[in-house]
């Protein structure tokens, strides 16, 4: 049986991962302050995005996400290893997106993993490092993804 602290940690981390998805889908960039540590590094380069600090990532997302008329970040199936006040997580993400391409609306899909290093802070669990790892894509506009 899992100890009560580990059960609590797992639930808090799952909630944190869900809060990230909702922040992105709601375009609530300030909500990311309650997801990432102040010194976090967020790396979207595997899918052609930016790598930077929490502030740089918020600015990047505010600029990049309006190009899409619709999107959802469906986070599922997290592998989680907790060691005291640190944890490593690998979470599957299924990401349908819609954008205008060559005068037509195009729906495409991306499958990736979030590879996270997490830390327990006085405000709860936070992501200290996130790296997106590309797995697959379907129907993405040519040249959009590396």
């Amino acid at each position: 049986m899992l100890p009560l602290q580990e059960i609590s940690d797992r639930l808090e981390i799952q909630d944190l991962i869900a809060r990230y998805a909702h922040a992105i889908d709601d375009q609530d960039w300030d909500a990311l302050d309650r997801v990432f540590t102040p010194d976090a590094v967020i790396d979207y380069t595997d899918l052609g995005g930016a790598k930077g600090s929490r502030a740089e990532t918020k600015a990047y997302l505010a600029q990049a996400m309006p190009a899409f008329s619709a999107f959802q970040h469906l986070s599922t199936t997290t592998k989680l290893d907790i060691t005291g006040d640190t944890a490593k997580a690998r979470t599957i993400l299924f990401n349908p997106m819609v954008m205008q391409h060559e005068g037509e609306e195009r729906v495409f899909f991306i499958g990736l993993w979030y590879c996270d290093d997490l830390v327990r802070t006085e405000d709860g669990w936070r992501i200290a490092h996130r790296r997106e790892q590309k797995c697959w894509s379907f129907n993405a506009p040519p040249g959009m993804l590396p």
Side-chain angles (χ1 to χ4, degrees), residues 27-43:
Q27 298 186 53
D28 182 0
W29 315 127
D30 288 335
L32 297 176
D33 295 345
R34 295 177 300 282
V35 172
F36 293 104
T37 61
D39 62 346
V41 175
I42 301 101
D43 183 355

Side-chain angles (χ1 to χ4, degrees), residues 30-79:
D30 288 335
L32 297 176
D33 295 345
R34 295 177 300 282
V35 172
F36 293 104
T37 61
D39 62 346
V41 175
I42 301 101
D43 183 355
Y44 299 140
T45 57
D46 214 30
L47 291 156
K51 177 181 180 179
S53 67
R54 184 173 76 183
E56 291 167 329
T57 297
K58 289 167 56 174
Y60 165 75
L61 290 168
Q63 178 270 325
M65 295 308 290
F68 305 98
S69 58
F71 44 83
Q72 287 182 315
H73 290 72
L74 304 151
S75 305
T76 68
T77 320
T78 298
K79 177 185 174 199

